[in-house]
Amino acid sequence: MAAALMRQIAGGSVQVHSAGTAPGTALNVLSAASVAEVGASMDGERPKPIDPELLRAVDRVVVIGDEAVVEPVPGMVGTIETWTLDEPSARGIEGDERMRLVREELAERVRRLAADLAVPSAV
């Protein structure tokens, strides 16, 4: 969800990759539908593991949630940050409503990250 939202918010100004520490076999249908509601898309994405070579090449790695841990690899120059999310299911909120709440929290964090990554114009 965060990758789809970053692509939407930052356009082509940020190169975005998405991977997981324990990827499943398919994208979460509710997640894809939730980002589509706001005009973002997971088209072309598939669950995939983190590529250590990519870790060496990126400026920032964002880990979503406390369960996943990404360890730095030799030669890595970027930073790793973890976004701990408010989990709606802990309050009994499930389904589409849960996904919308997660999407909105991610969108706010993505907007802040996009602003942080913005490079001032040379004009």
Side-chain angles (χ1 to χ4, degrees):
M1 290 176 79
L5 293 165
M6 180 61 86
R7 286 186 189 100
Q8 178 191 40
I9 290 166
S13 68
V14 175
Q15 189 177 40
V16 181
H17 303 275
S18 179
T21 57
T25 58
L27 295 177
N28 182 299
V29 175
L30 289 177
S31 294
S34 184
V35 297
E37 287 178 354
V38 296
S41 173
M42 291 183 178
D43 288 350
E45 286 291 343
R46 61 176 174 72
K48 58 192 165 292
I50 296 171
D51 176 357
E53 289 302 315
L54 188 58
L55 285 179
R56 288 182 187 89
V58 298
D59 297 320
R60 186 84 52 103
V61 175
V62 176
V63 180
I64 308 297
D66 294 329
E67 293 177 10
V69 175
V70 176
E71 297 291 340
V73 296
M76 184 175 173
V77 295
T79 59
I80 299 172
E81 64 183 81
T82 300
W83 291 354
T84 301
L85 302 181
D86 172 44
E87 180 47 66
S89 64
R91 299 186 311 280
I93 302 169
E94 298 292 343
D96 292 338
E97 184 180 2
R98 174 183 174 265
M99 283 299 151
R100 287 181 185 114
L101 291 168
V102 170
R103 179 196 66 215
E104 291 310 308
E105 183 175 354
L106 284 172
E108 180 55 37
R109 288 173 182 255
V110 164
R111 281 189 282 277
R112 288 194 307 258
L113 178 57
D116 184 45
L117 295 175
V119 178
S121 173
V123 177

